[in-house]
């Protein structure tokens, strides 16, 4: 799957936040997006995920020949992920239910992978910061997305949680899922990335 | 004092005896109010959602109008509806005056603004990430809306309980467009008004006990829902 942005412009009132002439993100990529506060990193990620329409320009998802619609999913994860007001397991099952699918074995596997299997009946609101991030990743992973966009996933994480998320992202990448993460500082997660984009002063640099 | 106690104990006896006329009146009240609430619910939630999440010209005028309708006395709603449904009114040909459907329409007009106002506050208070999270995980607009309803379910249940409490206890509209016809349109409040006027307090008190019990049950349920919501969110 290829995500293509063409002549994308995002403005607020008269002022342009950013203008991007051409941008491609291919499933399997590992990209670190950085830049100053207010540069529009979250907005760009939401545009890429289809959650927000740009002021102008086009965003296209181009599927490979052997891909189904489901494998073209681009999932955006908030800085502080929103967890549905139910238990951990039902949060993971959410996306599958929307598609009318039930796959308890896969849900079990994903919960185990995220280290949340012993917490599956716990209300999601009671989880710690690191557990919340892991649940958000597990909830996305169960859908086998082509790309995951992580908005500041390292904020509020302790060293142990960061290590765990790092391992999860490594696993994801090995399975062929691409990811783009925005982070202010370099850390273990940004070291996993093979591209580093900088969004500043209204333009994106570092793109191949 | 003895007189009051005698009336109260007679009212309890009448309730306990299962008097068909008395419980028939209670049944009219419940069926009319439940129907009105059922019909108004989805449109009211949809309007509340649109007002909370979409920006369009005259949005604030619409919200102000709905808030003003909250304060309209029930007799005024009854009066307007009476004029519309009376033979000389624009809807006179429907022959709805003094029927249960007319009472239901009156109660819909009373609960609709309340449901919109309370659902609007619930949607506005909801976390803006709910819809984004639902959409990014593949929800269609309808599925995202249903997810949002689930996330604010306790606030919406509170709206439902409050609206039901308002319409089952109203007398003005039911009296004017229902006509207080025994076995057809006589409900708890119109029956209390009638019996009190005749000086027959026993049935009025019996029906008043039903209303008070209902108010107690609704408020306890509301309190339980709010505390249950807090327990889910904070674990205490």
């Amino acid at each position: 799957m290829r995500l293509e942005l063409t002549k994308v412009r995002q403005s607020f009132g008269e002022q342009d936040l950013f203008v991007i002439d051409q941008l491609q993100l291919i499933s399997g990529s590992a990209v670190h997006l950085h830049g100053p506060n207010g540069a529009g990193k979250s907005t760009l990620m939401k545009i890429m995920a289809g959650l927000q329409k740009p002021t102008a320009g086009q965003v296209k998802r181009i599927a490979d020949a052997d891909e189904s619609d489901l494998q073209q999913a681009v999932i955006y994860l908030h800085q502080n992920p929103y967890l549905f007001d139910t238990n951990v397991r039902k949060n993971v099952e959410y996306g599958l239910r929307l598609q009318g699918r039930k796959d308890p074995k896969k849900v079990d596997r994903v919960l185990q992978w995220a280290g949340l299997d012993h917490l599956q009946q716990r209300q999601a609101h009671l989880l710690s910061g690191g557990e919340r991030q892991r649940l958000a990743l597990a909830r996305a992973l169960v859908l086998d997305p082509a790309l995951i966009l992580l908005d500041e996933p390292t904020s509020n994480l302790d060293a142990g949680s960061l290590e765990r998320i790092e391992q999860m992202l490594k696993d994801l990448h090995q399975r062929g899922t691409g990811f783009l993460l925005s982070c202010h500082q370099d850390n273990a997660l940004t070291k996993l990335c093979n591209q580093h984009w900088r969004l500043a002063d209204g333009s994106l640099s570092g793109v191949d | 004092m003895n007189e009051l106690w005698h009336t109260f104990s007679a009212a309890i006896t009448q309730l306990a005896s299962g008097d068909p006329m008395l419980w028939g009146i209670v049944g009219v009240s419940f069926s009319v109010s439940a129907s009105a609430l059922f019909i108004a619910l989805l449109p009211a939630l949809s309007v509340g959602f649109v007002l909370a999440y979409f920006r369009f010209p005259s949005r604030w005028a619409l919200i102000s109008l709905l808030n003003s309708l909250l304060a309209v006395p029930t007799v005024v709603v009854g009066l307007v509806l009476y004029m519309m449904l009376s033979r000389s009114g624009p809807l006179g040909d429907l022959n709805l005056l003094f029927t249960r459907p007319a009472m239901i329409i009156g109660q819909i007009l009373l609960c609709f603004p309340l449901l919109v106002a309370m659902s609007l506050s619930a949607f506005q208070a909801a976390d803006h990430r709910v819809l984004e999270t639902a959409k990014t995980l593949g929800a269609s607009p309808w599925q995202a809306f249903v997810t949002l309803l689930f996330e604010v379910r306790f606030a919406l249940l509170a709206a439902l309980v409050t609206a039901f409490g308002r319409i089952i206890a109203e007398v003005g509209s039911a009296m004017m467009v229902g006509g207080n016809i025994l076995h057809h349109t006589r409900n708890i409040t119109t029956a209390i008004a009638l019996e009190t006027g005749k000086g027959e307090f026993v049935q009025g008190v019996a029906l008043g006990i039903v209303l008070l019990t209902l108010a107690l049950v609704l408020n306890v349920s509301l309190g339980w829902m709010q505390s249950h919501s807090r327990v889910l969110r904070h674990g205490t």
Side-chain angles (χ1 to χ4, degrees):
Chain A
M1 203 280 291
R2 200 166 79 237
L3 188 67
E4 234 179 52
L5 277 72
T6 313
K7 297 191 187 308
V8 165
R9 180 167 59 83
Q10 180 62 43
S11 312
F12 288 108
E14 297 284 298
Q15 199 162 4
D16 283 344
L17 182 64
F18 54 76
V19 179
I20 296 170
D21 196 42
Q22 194 70 238
L23 179 64
Q24 273 197 6
L25 187 59
I26 300 162
S27 53
S29 315
V31 181
H32 170 209
L33 174 65
H34 60 107
N37 280 338
K41 297 189 295 294
S42 298
T43 306
L44 175 60
M45 292 169 89
K46 285 185 183 181
I47 287 172
M48 293 170 93
L51 293 176
Q52 194 172 318
K53 281 188 178 165
T55 311
Q58 275 192 330
V59 181
K60 275 190 200 163
R61 289 179 195 183
I62 300 158
D64 294 340
D66 57 340
E67 275 181 340
S68 68
D69 284 354
L70 293 176
Q71 289 167 315
Q72 296 172 42
V74 178
I75 297 182
Y76 169 82
L77 268 61
H78 290 95
Q79 182 174 352
N80 294 309
Y82 183 83
L83 304 178
F84 298 118
D85 191 4
T86 182
N87 66 30
V88 169
R89 188 178 182 90
K90 284 185 177 156
N91 264 275
V92 174
E93 290 171 341
Y94 178 81
L96 293 174
R97 282 189 191 178
L98 292 177
Q99 298 161 9
R101 291 162 62 200
K102 278 184 184 171
D103 197 340
K105 282 183 183 166
K106 188 174 188 184
V107 173
D108 287 340
R109 214 164 46 240
V110 168
L111 281 166
Q112 200 171 10
W113 172 74
L116 295 169
D117 45 339
H118 63 296
L119 298 172
Q120 57 181 296
Q121 296 306 324
R122 181 171 291 187
Q123 286 297 315
H125 291 103
L126 302 177
L127 298 183
S128 68
E131 289 165 346
R132 294 171 74 86
Q133 281 289 359
R134 271 148 53 201
L135 176 54
L137 260 177
R139 191 171 59 180
L141 178 91
V142 81
L143 299 173
D144 296 322
L147 288 167
I148 296 184
L149 313 177
L150 301 104
D151 197 349
E152 301 279 357
T154 54
S155 59
N156 310 320
L157 286 189
D158 58 36
S161 298
L162 189 62
E163 204 173 310
R164 193 131 202 179
I165 300 278
E166 180 193 354
Q167 190 53 50
M168 289 172 82
L169 280 184
K170 273 183 188 165
D171 289 350
L172 272 176
H173 201 214
Q174 274 170 5
R175 291 173 200 205
T177 303
F179 65 86
L180 180 149
L181 60 95
S182 72
C183 271
H184 279 296
Q185 287 96 24
D186 287 342
N187 54 41
L189 300 191
T190 61
K191 283 179 190 155
L192 300 174
C193 300
N194 47 30
Q195 290 185 60
H196 297 268
W197 297 350
R198 179 173 165 78
L199 183 62
D201 303 323
S203 63
L204 191 68
S205 55
V207 181
D208 291 338
Chain B
M1 194 65 190
N2 270 350
E3 181 86 4
L4 274 177
W5 176 246
H6 175 71
T7 305
F8 184 75
S9 57
I12 295 282
T13 308
Q14 196 175 11
L15 278 172
S17 70
D19 181 351
M21 190 180 74
L22 183 86
W23 286 105
I25 290 169
V26 173
V28 169
S29 266
F30 274 81
S31 70
V32 166
S33 297
S35 304
L37 205 57
F38 181 74
I39 295 167
L41 187 61
L42 195 58
L45 294 186
S46 305
V47 172
F49 176 77
V50 168
L51 289 172
Y53 283 93
F54 294 88
R55 297 289 175 267
F56 51 88
S58 71
R59 174 177 169 269
W60 279 109
L62 200 57
I63 292 174
S64 303
L65 175 70
L66 283 162
N67 285 337
S68 308
L69 289 176
L70 288 175
V72 173
T74 60
V75 281
V76 174
V77 171
L79 174 65
V80 172
L81 197 56
Y82 185 96
M83 291 193 299
M84 301 283 280
L85 298 176
S86 64
R87 287 216 174 274
S88 54
L91 302 174
D93 290 345
L94 298 174
N95 287 322
L96 286 176
L97 197 61
F98 306 141
T99 64
R100 282 191 205 178
M103 294 167 78
I104 291 171
I105 295 170
Q107 295 199 352
I108 288 172
L109 295 175
L110 287 169
C111 71
F112 187 81
L114 185 65
L115 285 170
V116 172
M118 290 188 74
S119 63
L120 171 62
S121 328
F123 291 135
Q124 281 176 331
D127 196 308
H128 70 281
R129 296 169 302 167
V130 177
L131 287 180
E132 286 185 345
T133 303
K135 280 187 205 163
T136 204
L137 293 171
S140 64
W142 172 251
Q143 287 172 324
F145 176 61
V146 172
T147 302
L148 181 65
L149 293 184
F150 178 78
E151 292 302 296
V152 298
R153 61 195 180 281
F154 292 109
L156 294 182
L157 277 171
L160 207 64
V161 167
T162 308
F164 188 71
R166 172 168 160 85
I167 58 177
I168 204 161
E170 72 89 16
V171 62
S173 170
M175 183 72 92
M176 293 183 83
V177 299
N180 203 10
I181 303 164
L182 187 61
H183 303 308
H184 291 285
T185 58
R186 183 168 300 170
N187 69 4
I188 295 177
T189 53
T190 59
I192 290 175
L194 179 76
E195 297 303 319
T196 306
K198 290 192 318 195
E200 298 284 342
F201 295 117
V202 174
Q203 196 184 68
V205 170
L207 291 167
I209 290 169
V210 173
L211 268 188
L212 283 173
T213 308
L214 178 71
L216 186 70
V217 169
L218 290 179
N219 278 298
V220 169
S221 314
L222 199 59
W224 180 83
M225 278 179 238
Q226 283 163 347
S227 65
H228 190 63
S229 169
R230 271 196 296 275
V231 168
L232 278 179
R233 290 192 173 279
H234 307 295
T236 55

